Amino acid sequence: MADTMQSDSVVLIPTYNEKENISAIIAAVLALEHPFDILVIDDNSPDGTAAIVKQLIAEHPGRINILERKGKLGLGTAYIAGFKWAIEHRYDYIIEMDADFSHNPNDLLKLHHACHAEHADVAIGSRYITGVNVVNWPMGRVLMSYYASAYVRLVTGMSIRDTTAGFVCYRREVLETIDLDNIRFKGYAFQIEMKFTAYKFGFCIKEVPIIFVNRVLGTSKMSSGIFGEAVFGVIRLKLSSMMRKYERKPKA
């Protein structure tokens, strides 16, 4: 009988047509020495990803959960739905991770340690904190991503090296402080907006070095439009931040 006691941490995995990866990534997370629960947010994948997850839920009751959405609604809205679910279920640490093994599940332990033991409020699995640690990406995409982060640092004033990273651990307090319904971006600019908002609220952000490996199985969801949203969205983000106050509520 599987242990149904809730972990202190939940890993959010958005999926759209990830049948080649989903069983293996879930197995890798469940095999870690620290018990991480899993929430899959599936956007009505036509390849049957959700059915595979439901079978695994039956095999591991209490450890795996699924949110099924009606269609492909965007990465940002998937994570917002997952954040709200995780807050409702009172997880202390909420982690974003891709389904395609571009993020090494073993690095979940590093992110958890940064928040749990080193008192970071946000821990970022960073591709660029110790150089450029990206494997199997075309050089053009590496350069685009690297210089996009440099551009974001310039505009926002943040010192974060990997501003578009999608491998991030948040303390629950951070997500409770940010008004999730006011996060406006849906693509990879979502990642920038979340980090920038946490930064403006004064939360402690720590980058943890990882090696990012391009997916082997399945199809990438990246597009030039996603980067366009990030480039132009950052200016709007900075301007709007100048007209609002970022005040954290005192702890009860």
Side-chain angles (χ1 to χ4, degrees), residues 179-208:
D179 185 350
L180 296 174
D181 290 328
N182 276 343
I183 296 294
R184 70 183 82 177
F185 294 117
K186 294 184 178 181
Y188 278 76
F190 163 82
Q191 300 292 2
I192 300 168
E193 185 173 6
M194 287 294 298
K195 295 177 186 69
F196 181 64
T197 309
Y199 161 78
K200 292 296 288 184
F201 272 114
F203 285 108
C204 174
I205 301 173
K206 179 179 176 64
E207 289 188 86
V208 177

Side-chain angles (χ1 to χ4, degrees), residues 1-251:
M1 182 73 179
D3 183 0
T4 57
M5 183 178 293
Q6 179 171 301
S7 169
D8 68 344
S9 312
V10 62
V11 180
L12 309 183
I13 305 178
T15 54
Y16 184 77
N17 287 348
E18 292 289 355
K19 70 176 182 180
E20 295 97 341
N21 295 303
I22 195 62
S23 294
I25 197 76
I26 287 175
V29 173
L30 293 182
L32 294 171
E33 59 196 61
H34 182 85
F36 293 93
D37 289 348
I38 296 169
L39 175 67
V40 174
I41 306 111
D42 186 67
D43 275 6
N44 197 24
S45 298
D47 71 348
T49 298
I52 297 170
V53 175
K54 288 174 184 175
Q55 177 60 44
L56 294 171
I57 288 172
E59 296 170 11
H60 302 277
R63 298 296 310 282
I64 308 167
N65 302 274
I66 188 168
L67 277 180
E68 293 183 88
R69 307 202 305 163
K70 293 180 180 178
K72 197 174 179 185
L73 303 173
L75 182 73
T77 63
Y79 275 130
I80 295 294
F83 291 158
K84 289 179 176 180
W85 183 94
I87 290 169
E88 182 182 333
H89 288 79
R90 307 299 294 168
Y91 285 95
D92 294 325
Y93 308 103
I94 296 119
I95 307 172
E96 305 174 352
M97 188 175 79
D98 290 348
D100 60 8
F101 284 94
S102 54
H103 304 140
N104 186 337
N106 291 328
D107 289 334
L108 288 168
L109 299 170
K110 293 184 189 177
L111 296 182
H112 179 268
H113 184 266
C115 287
H116 179 71
E118 298 176 359
H119 309 296
D121 297 309
V122 181
I124 299 168
S126 178
R127 297 164 291 187
Y128 307 128
I129 193 68
T130 56
V132 179
N133 293 318
V134 178
V135 177
N136 292 338
W137 257 10
M139 183 54 67
R141 187 167 169 188
V142 173
L143 291 172
M144 187 183 297
S145 174
Y146 182 83
Y147 285 109
S149 275
Y151 165 77
V152 173
R153 289 197 300 277
L154 179 67
V155 173
T156 63
M158 292 191 293
S159 61
I160 297 168
R161 303 293 301 180
D162 194 352
T163 55
T164 60
F167 195 22
V168 185
C169 178
Y170 294 95
R171 283 182 179 269
R172 185 177 71 236
E173 180 193 351
V174 177
L175 301 180
E176 288 175 332
T177 300
I178 293 172
D179 185 350
L180 296 174
D181 290 328
N182 276 343
I183 296 294
R184 70 183 82 177
F185 294 117
K186 294 184 178 181
Y188 278 76
F190 163 82
Q191 300 292 2
I192 300 168
E193 185 173 6
M194 287 294 298
K195 295 177 186 69
F196 181 64
T197 309
Y199 161 78
K200 292 296 288 184
F201 272 114
F203 285 108
C204 174
I205 301 173
K206 179 179 176 64
E207 289 188 86
V208 177
I210 64 160
I211 296 174
F212 180 96
V213 181
N214 196 29
R215 69 161 63 234
V216 175
L217 300 174
T219 305
S220 173
K221 315 307 186 292
M222 180 66 74
S223 71
S224 58
I226 285 171
F227 273 108
E229 179 195 50
V231 168
F232 296 110
V234 170
I235 296 172
R236 281 186 287 152
L237 204 56
K238 176 65 175 179
L239 291 174
S240 65
S241 74
M242 296 165 71
M243 293 178 278
R244 66 172 283 197
K245 291 183 178 180
Y246 295 83
E247 295 180 357
R248 283 156 67 173
K249 295 176 184 175
K251 292 184 178 180

